[in-house]
Amino acid sequence: MLGTLVQGRVSLDGAAVAASKLALTAAITYSTQRRQFNASSELREEVLMDYQRHQRRLLPRLAATYAASFAHEELLEKFDDVFSGRNDTDEDRQDLETLAAALKPLSTWLALDTLQECREATGGQGFLIENRFASLRADLDVYVTFEGDNTVLLQLVAKRLLTDYAKEFKGVDFGVLARYAVSQAAGKTLHRSGLRRVAQTVADSGSGKKSAKALRDEDTQRELLSDRVQSRVADVAAVLRGAKGMSQEKSAALFNEHQNELIEVAHAHAELLQWEAFTRGLKKIEDPGTREVLTRLRDLFGLCLIEKDLAWFLMNGRLSSQRARTLDRYINRLLTRIRPHALDLVESFGYGPEHLRSAIASGAEQERQDEAAEYTRRRRASGDAPIDEKTLLAREARQKKAQKAAKSRTKG
Ligand SMILES: Cc1cc2nc3c(=O)[nH]c(=O)nc-3n(C[C@H](O)[C@H](O)[C@H](O)COP(=O)(O)OP(=O)(O)OC[C@H]3O[C@@H](n4cnc5c(N)ncnc54)[C@H](O)[C@@H]3O)c2cc1C
């Protein structure tokens, strides 16, 4: 029954990605125009997008939206392959179903989260219905439920991961299986004893720079993200193998004991699919400058995934504490490098005013800011501008200091 809803799921995935793109276009456009509080100058306030926290709120979601968008393109191709009859075997249909079941939950959750964050990141303006965050969020709310509830869909993905894992070892002779078991056990000792962590720390030799370089490396990111899926599937499969000879009641209880973990593995698998789609997408970009910026965005996506699940990577010996410490700093560095391209990155979605239909994405804030700056400049030039209290106090303090110095000179 769940399987028949695949066409709807493909559409929901695309619509959710489009909603995230619209929200980020409006929020990032506004954030590059809206000025609030003066930190670095008495005369000009800062643009919101230059605050580190603002970058942390919007840019990782922009990176996740790009990843979801690349993954959606691949889903559409698979969908076209099956429904055009070009590649329409039973296996192709199963692959399409699993892919749709994995991507729809992530993109619809991302859309709700992005719409809410963009709404807050644009302050009171974001709350106005004319800027569409609230209405889009209300429209998108049901996406996580209809055409298959997200949590239930991820169980479908988990089941497929377990089936594939079991298939891989079906009919394998005892010798190979024994060798596999030995290498698994060796792998486990390596991870659980933290030996790999020690090796990483030694290789990094206390250098934050080397740690950052390793994290930037595509193969390191791929290894960390795919190992997280493979080893967790293997762990659960090993436990569930015991369910074979059990009664229905007992085997269901055993399965239920590991349900949460299974859903988390499916989630991690879907994130890996998005990361891989983004990485494949990079290979198709010909312009070196564009490729460089998007590679940074892909790195931001990959490293934020690792940061989100840092406890698992550390607890299971996949990451040294040295590298884990570098992660936060390196993500902040990536944010400052991506910041100058933020506007280009949302403009490349290609939405015009007729799609955005949002006042804060129209450039109105820039006009307002320019007008206010011009008004203040004129007043200052005319000498009519009120003097800031802080400036007066500072002037008084300087005068007192000068009087004191003059007095002590007279005494001397
Ligand atoms: C606006 C709207 C339009 C719809 N349109 C259609 C339509 O046109 N055609 C159609 O066929 N259907 C339609 N549906 C139905 C929709 O597909 C179902 O609502 C959806 O699949 C979820 O099923 P449910 O409502 O029975 O929730 P339930 O299955 O009761 O789920 C409720 C909660 O329990 C959790 N849960 C359920 N099972 C498990 C489990 N095994 N393990 C852990 N957690 C679990 C879920 O994650 C969810 O959070 C529509 C629904 C809505 C809201």
Side-chain angles (χ1 to χ4, degrees):
M1 194 277 285
L2 278 172
T4 57
L5 297 169
V6 69
Q7 301 179 46
R9 262 173 234 150
V10 174
S11 311
L12 294 194
D13 186 56
V17 173
S20 296
K21 287 178 176 175
L22 285 173
L24 285 160
T25 306
I28 289 178
T29 305
Y30 181 71
S31 302
T32 54
Q33 296 171 357
R34 168 83 173 158
R35 291 178 181 272
Q36 191 65 291
F37 305 113
N38 45 351
S40 63
S41 145
E42 286 303 324
L43 298 178
R44 204 115 215 240
E45 292 180 299
E46 310 301 319
V47 161
L48 285 180
M49 204 62 216
D50 285 339
Y51 288 111
Q52 186 187 58
R53 181 68 185 181
H54 218 72
Q55 293 167 8
R56 268 269 177 175
R57 293 168 78 184
L58 298 181
L59 298 182
R61 287 173 173 88
L62 179 64
T65 299
Y66 263 84
S69 183
F70 278 113
H72 178 68
E73 289 303 315
E74 292 193 354
L75 178 62
L76 279 183
E77 275 169 30
K78 185 88 202 152
F79 180 75
D80 184 43
D81 267 359
V82 169
F83 280 79
S84 66
R86 247 192 324 275
N87 291 305
D88 187 17
T89 63
D90 194 38
E91 202 180 344
D92 287 319
R93 283 187 173 258
Q94 279 183 34
D95 283 348
L96 172 64
E97 267 169 30
T98 313
L99 195 58
L103 297 182
K104 180 256 183 187
L106 263 62
S107 59
T108 54
W109 274 325
L110 173 70
L112 291 189
D113 171 60
T114 301
L115 282 161
Q116 181 63 23
E117 198 62 46
C118 289
R119 173 358 242 130
E120 290 179 38
T122 47
Q125 288 288 335
F127 187 66
L128 289 179
I129 212 76
E130 69 171 12
N131 289 318
R132 291 181 73 206
F133 296 117
S135 49
L136 272 174
R137 203 195 172 288
D139 283 353
L140 268 277
D141 201 345
V142 75
Y143 280 39
V144 301
T145 299
F146 66 10
E147 304 289 329
D149 168 80
N150 282 0
T151 303
V152 174
L153 285 183
L154 286 179
Q155 293 189 62
L156 210 79
V157 178
K159 204 174 148 209
R160 175 74 191 271
L161 289 174
L162 284 175
T163 314
D164 282 358
Y165 181 82
K167 257 194 224 154
E168 211 173 305
F169 295 105
K170 199 177 169 191
V172 176
D173 70 59
F174 180 73
V176 175
L177 209 54
R179 277 200 298 282
Y180 174 79
V182 170
S183 66
Q184 267 288 101
K188 270 192 178 143
T189 322
L190 190 68
H191 293 311
R192 298 250 157 91
S193 65
L195 274 178
R196 177 179 282 212
R197 201 166 45 209
V198 173
Q200 268 185 14
T201 314
V202 170
D204 291 343
S205 61
S207 153
K209 231 181 187 173
K210 271 193 189 166
S211 288
K213 204 169 161 221
L215 288 168
R216 208 170 55 209
D217 179 48
E218 188 174 297
D219 290 336
T220 308
Q221 289 173 35
R222 180 181 290 109
E223 193 191 319
L224 285 168
L225 294 172
S226 52
D227 178 46
R228 178 173 64 141
V229 178
Q230 282 161 11
S231 63
R232 291 179 82 176
V233 172
D235 277 354
V236 186
V239 180
L240 294 184
R241 200 171 295 148
K244 240 184 177 176
M246 287 180 183
S247 67
Q248 189 180 350
E249 192 187 347
K250 279 198 174 143
S251 73
L254 183 66
F255 204 85
N256 200 30
E257 263 176 46
H258 297 276
Q259 190 195 31
N260 190 51
E261 184 158 12
L262 273 170
I263 292 170
E264 282 180 6
V265 176
H267 200 283
H269 173 70
E271 288 175 343
L272 175 64
L273 290 176
Q274 288 185 329
W275 183 90
E276 282 178 338
F278 200 155
T279 304
R280 274 192 291 274
L282 292 177
K283 309 266 183 276
K284 293 185 201 154
I285 298 169
E286 283 165 18
D287 177 64
T290 307
R291 194 176 332 112
E292 191 185 329
V293 173
L294 285 180
T295 303
R296 284 191 182 138
L297 203 65
R298 191 280 319 271
D299 290 346
L300 181 65
F301 175 63
L303 298 183
C304 285
L305 290 181
I306 294 166
E307 190 186 46
K308 203 167 60 156
D309 209 6
L310 197 55
W312 186 87
F313 287 104
L314 279 168
M315 277 192 305
N316 291 279
R318 264 46 169 200
L319 214 57
S320 68
S321 52
Q322 158 96 26
R323 276 194 195 170
R325 270 197 302 275
T326 315
L327 197 57
D328 179 57
R329 280 202 304 274
Y330 187 58
I331 287 177
N332 285 339
R333 245 180 49 212
L334 273 176
L335 293 176
T336 57
R337 286 184 176 178
I338 294 167
R339 157 67 185 101
H341 309 286
L343 211 49
D344 286 341
L345 284 165
V346 289
E347 279 174 4
S348 81
F349 295 147
Y351 292 130
E354 69 279 22
H355 307 113
L356 293 164
R357 300 195 303 279
S358 158
I360 56 170
S362 69
E365 178 64 18
Q366 190 61 53
E367 270 176 39
R368 209 182 64 79
Q369 292 285 345
D370 291 345
E371 199 180 302
E374 179 57 17
Y375 172 77
T376 316
R377 192 193 62 74
R378 281 217 200 115
R379 272 196 95 181
R380 260 200 317 272
S382 70
D384 288 344
I387 301 170
D388 191 286
E389 200 179 350
K390 269 195 252 170
T391 314
L392 280 177
L393 288 173
R395 200 179 287 169
E396 263 176 44
R398 270 200 308 276
Q399 278 171 355
K400 273 186 191 156
K401 207 171 158 191
Q403 281 167 1
K404 220 172 155 186
K407 247 186 201 169
S408 67
R409 268 201 306 276
T410 322
K411 268 187 195 166

